[in-house]
């Protein structure tokens, strides 16, 4: 049989229980490859009952061979999976100490697993032996016998404060509340302590289970998220348009902001503090919230005038502090929340703003302490409120340099000033603005603003202005005494 022979005589098939001669020929490695290729070409080029039977046998053989390979691959994968399940997953740990190699033992490290269990593991690989140090996270085998390499650094843990440094690598750290623990300092943290950049009082990240202080939280990180910062739009409240009888405090606060932004040297000449505090007192619905919104708007208008930037593009500079946000059922949490309020306000006040002409200025920060009586009740009744009051009195001390030297404006509101502690009133009440019942002139002004541009039923051809003037006059005469013999005060609700 020659590979150049175009017509191949296919042998007659043999019984089913024996191999076909063509199959034996194709499977024989001693037959030259071109010869076997020619046989396959002739088989596929001339299909008849005889050649079809041979081709079917070849295809069955190929399918059987391929199935066996797939089966063997699946068996191998399953064996590998069972082996991994028996060995268990890899484990992570933190290095606590290094043990150098001896004549009988390779180099090792003392590690603490994530649950706090301490184990010795052997170091393998020259790179691992040279670079692994105290505090590093490492990957161990399933039985925690060998260090396979470095593990990912999570960078999470509890926040503690360094009380003192013990020796070269140990720290006495205060954790939750007044709990104290002695921890090892990670290699990088130990270097910072030796250089003097980190010391007693610094915040550190601690893994209490592993007894390891991992890294320092430097003070310049500060507060990254302002919890109490108001991020809504500037209120659309314009004094001349919306407030009939504007209280004196609106103009006073606006003038303070304008002078500090445009003529700061004038107030420094008279040694006046940048910080300003006011207490707004009055029954509910008497206009305190409306006045605060007007001050909010005026502050942004003055900042826009000083920076040349539209009101809508100025940064957020107002904090609304509600008692529900700071008061907590847990002992000590309320004081911490109040401390956070003042830390945020002071850090926000220290941020500089760059104007379009390149100059840097510090913009004011408005802090609204709503319903201050909820935290500032008279002392002597409940010890918890007394502790909160002590925190407020310390942080609101106007003579404190951290407060008086910053451009902060505190506006506190209360509906019941008689239950506010007298010491707190003296602290925050640079001046007190009372919101109460309206006299005759203020009532007319407020009513005119309320009905402005509202439609009225025309009568006898009178204009809208004349109709409303007549109604306002009638209502005012009905509510107020014409001869002024009584106080004549009206409360709008």
């Amino acid at each position: 049989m020659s590979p150049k022979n175009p017509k191949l005589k296919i042998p007659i098939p043999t019984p089913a229980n024996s191999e076909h001669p063509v199959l034996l020929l194709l499977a024989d490695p001693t037959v030259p490859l071109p010869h076997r290729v020619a046989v396959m070409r002739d088989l596929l080029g001339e299909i008849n009952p005889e050649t079809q039977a041979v081709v079917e046998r070849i295809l069955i053989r190929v399918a059987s061979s391929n199935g066996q390979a797939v089966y063997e691959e699946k068996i191998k994968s399953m064996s590998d999976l069972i082996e991994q399940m028996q060995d268990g997953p890899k484990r992570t740990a933190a290095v606590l100490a290094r043990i150098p190699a001896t004549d009988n033992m390779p180099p090792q490290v003392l590690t603490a697993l994530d649950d706090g269990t301490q184990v010795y593991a052997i170091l393998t690989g020259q790179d691992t032996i040279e670079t692994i140090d105290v505090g590093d996270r490492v990957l161990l085998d399933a039985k925690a016998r060998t260090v396979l390499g470095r593990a990912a650094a999570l960078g999470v843990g509890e926040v503690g404060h360094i009380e003192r440094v013990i020796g070269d690598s140990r720290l006495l750290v205060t954790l939750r509340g007044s709990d104290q623990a002695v921890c090892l300092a990670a290699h990088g943290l130990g270097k910072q302590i030796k250089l003097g950049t980190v010391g007693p009082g610094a915040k550190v990240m601690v893994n209490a289970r592993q007894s390891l202080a991992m890294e320092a939280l430097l003070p310049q990180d500060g507060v990254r998220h302002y919890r109490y910062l108001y991020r809504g739009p500037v209120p659309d409240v314009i004094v001349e348009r919306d407030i009939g009888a504007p209280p004196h405090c609106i103009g006073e606060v606006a003038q303070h902001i304008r002078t500090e932004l445009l003529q700061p040297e004038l107030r420094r000449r008279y040694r006046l503090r940048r910080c300003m505090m006011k207490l707004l007192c009055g029954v509910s619905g008497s206009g305190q919230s409306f006045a605060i919104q007007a001050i909010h708007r005026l502050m942004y208008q003055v900042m826009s005038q000083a920076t040349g930037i539209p009101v809508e593009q100025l940064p957020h500079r107002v904090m609304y502090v509600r008692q529900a946000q700071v008061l907590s059922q847990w002992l000590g949490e309320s004081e911490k929340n109040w401390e956070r309020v003042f830390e945020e306000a002071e850090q926000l006040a220290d941020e500089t703003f760059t104007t379009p002409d390149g100059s840097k200025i510090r913009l004011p920060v408005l802090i609204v302490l709503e319903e201050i009586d909820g935290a500032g009740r008279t002392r002597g009744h409940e010890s918890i409120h007394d502790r909160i009051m002590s925190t407020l009195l310390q942080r609101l001390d106007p003579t404190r340099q951290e407060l008086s030297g910053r451009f902060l404006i505190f506006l506190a509101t209360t509906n019941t000033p008689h239950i506010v502690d007298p010491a707190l009133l003296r602290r925050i009440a640079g001046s007190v603005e009372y919101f109460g019942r309206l006299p005759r002139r203020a009532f007319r002004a407020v009513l005119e603003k309320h009905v402005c541009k509202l439609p009225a039923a025309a009568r006898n051809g009178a204009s809208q202005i004349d109709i409303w003037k007549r109604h306002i006059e009638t209502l005012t005469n009905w509510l107020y005494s014409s001869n002024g013999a009584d106080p004549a005060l009206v409360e709008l609700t």
Side-chain angles (χ1 to χ4, degrees), residues 293-310:
Q293 292 177 12
I295 293 173
H296 186 164
R297 180 77 185 186
L298 279 173
M299 184 180 82
Y300 270 77
Q301 289 177 348
V302 176
M303 289 194 300
S304 177
Q305 179 185 354
T307 60
I309 296 177

Side-chain angles (χ1 to χ4, degrees), residues 19-59:
E19 285 289 357
H20 193 285
V22 175
L23 295 179
L24 295 175
L25 175 67
L26 294 175
D28 188 356
T30 61
V31 178
L33 181 61
H35 194 110
R36 287 182 283 172
V37 171
V39 172
M40 286 295 300
R41 187 187 307 115
D42 292 335
L43 281 173
L44 298 175
E46 186 178 349
I47 298 296
N48 54 52
E50 294 180 1
T51 60
Q52 184 175 354
V54 176
V55 171
E56 288 178 356
R57 296 282 293 275
I58 294 174
L59 294 177

